[in-house]
Amino acid sequence: MNKKLAVFLYRIEQEDILREESHIRELLDDSRKEKVARLKNDSARIQSIAAGMLLKVGTSLFLEGKAEKYMYGYDDRDYLISHEELLERLSSADQVPCGEIYSNLSHSGEYVALAVGNVPVGIDVEHKSDNDFKITKRMFTKRDQDYIFGDMLDAERRFRDIWTIKESFLKCLGIGISVPLSSFDATFDQSASDEVDRYGGEGAILSGKIEVREDAPDKLQGLDHYRFSTSRISGGDYSVTLCYRDSLQR
């Protein structure tokens, strides 16, 4: 069995969702309906609805073998799913069988991201900034900092690259930020590093592997088979990283 991965991105159309909210909520899975019903804040509720839409449609497309156009690629259009297509497919998407696939959701600002695969996956999309690079200096490794400060004109974007790599790896493991972010490094493929230098990072993809440090907590030791793929979207204002276990063995 070959490793299969897909990433879906949806740019939240808040006004469209509000206008069609009653109809969309009826199409969501029961657990998502219950979650949405508890949210009174419009922004949080719409974000949760969008996540539920993308989860149901993306996993359905993946199981049907129709996710090829959303595979992680260099062009935003390769994996951006429109509101119209999302709503159309939501009306016919089947319930997702449990245990057949792995999935992970992330949202930030205007975007919701979904990763689906037949190996463990983690995804993070991020719009946040690091004021005065306090997080970078306090929480990241020297290798991380060398990458971020390697081009000060691009440093905020590079911070988002590293942050999403860190968080997507921990989400892939299912442990969240429960270990120091300095416990592991992102080791870039040489070709990926060249792409960032050549294009200034706009829309460029980074790829590489996670390297756990010798002084990392025991729960991370031996985890040497995880890879990542990072891109920037929306003119570089967002970074998004897919992390996955590079092995089909459990």
Side-chain angles (χ1 to χ4, degrees):
M1 182 172 64
N2 295 324
K3 180 167 66 268
K4 293 173 59 180
L5 302 163
V7 168
F8 302 84
L9 274 173
Y10 169 56
R11 187 167 186 172
I12 299 172
E13 303 289 348
Q14 184 161 322
E15 294 303 318
D16 288 342
I17 293 178
L18 282 171
R19 184 172 56 252
E20 302 161 320
E21 182 174 352
S22 297
H23 171 61
I24 294 173
R25 287 173 65 164
E26 285 304 309
L27 299 174
L28 299 176
D29 292 336
D30 290 342
S31 59
R32 180 62 58 167
K33 288 179 185 176
E34 294 173 5
K35 183 174 182 177
V36 168
R38 294 194 296 268
L39 298 172
K40 305 305 179 186
N41 177 274
D42 279 355
S43 179
R45 191 175 71 256
I46 295 306
Q47 199 169 59
S48 183
I49 290 172
M53 294 169 71
L54 191 60
L55 178 63
K56 189 170 182 180
V57 171
T59 48
S60 178
L61 284 171
F62 185 85
L63 288 170
E64 293 170 12
K66 298 178 181 178
E68 288 80 5
K69 67 176 287 191
Y70 303 105
M71 294 300 287
Y72 217 82
Y74 280 87
D75 193 324
D76 288 3
R77 292 170 297 178
D78 286 347
Y79 50 87
L80 186 64
I81 188 166
S82 70
H83 178 78
E84 292 75 17
E85 184 176 2
L86 197 61
L87 188 59
E88 178 183 352
R89 291 188 176 277
L90 186 66
S91 300
S92 59
D94 294 329
Q95 294 284 335
V96 179
C98 296
E100 294 191 10
I101 59 174
Y102 298 89
S103 64
N104 193 238
L105 280 164
S106 178
H107 50 73
S108 179
E110 299 178 326
Y111 284 93
V112 176
L114 169 70
V116 190
N118 61 347
V119 292
V121 292
I123 194 162
D124 191 50
V125 59
E126 196 58 70
H127 185 52
K128 74 186 298 178
S129 297
D130 185 10
N131 295 330
D132 299 323
F133 296 99
K134 293 178 181 178
I135 294 175
T136 297
K137 295 172 182 176
R138 187 177 74 251
M139 302 177 67
F140 289 170
T141 69
K142 182 181 184 301
R143 189 184 299 178
D144 299 333
Q145 294 183 42
D146 287 346
Y147 169 72
I148 292 170
F149 297 136
D151 181 350
M152 290 307 298
L153 294 178
D154 198 40
E156 279 288 353
R157 291 169 178 166
R158 289 179 174 227
F159 162 76
R160 285 193 287 270
D161 295 341
I162 294 295
W163 181 270
T164 58
I165 292 169
K166 299 279 188 180
E167 187 153 345
S168 64
F169 172 56
L170 296 178
K171 291 179 71 177
C172 188
L173 299 180
I175 63 176
I177 304 180
S178 61
V179 297
L181 296 181
S182 58
S183 299
F184 54 95
D185 282 307
T187 301
F188 295 113
D189 297 335
Q190 186 59 47
S191 59
S193 300
D194 291 343
E195 291 295 305
V196 173
D197 294 340
R198 186 177 306 143
Y199 299 111
E202 278 297 322
I205 283 190
L206 301 171
S207 62
K209 64 180 182 179
I210 300 297
E211 186 174 316
V212 176
R213 296 170 67 87
E214 291 183 359
D215 58 351
D218 290 343
K219 68 172 69 177
L220 295 185
Q221 295 299 331
L223 300 180
D224 56 356
H225 43 272
Y226 287 80
R227 291 190 58 82
F228 63 84
S229 181
T230 304
S231 188
R232 296 176 185 170
I233 59 175
S234 195
D237 290 339
Y238 292 77
S239 290
V240 55
T241 294
L242 164 70
C243 184
Y244 57 95
R245 189 171 70 192
D246 194 27
S247 169
L248 291 171
Q249 296 180 351
R250 295 184 183 275

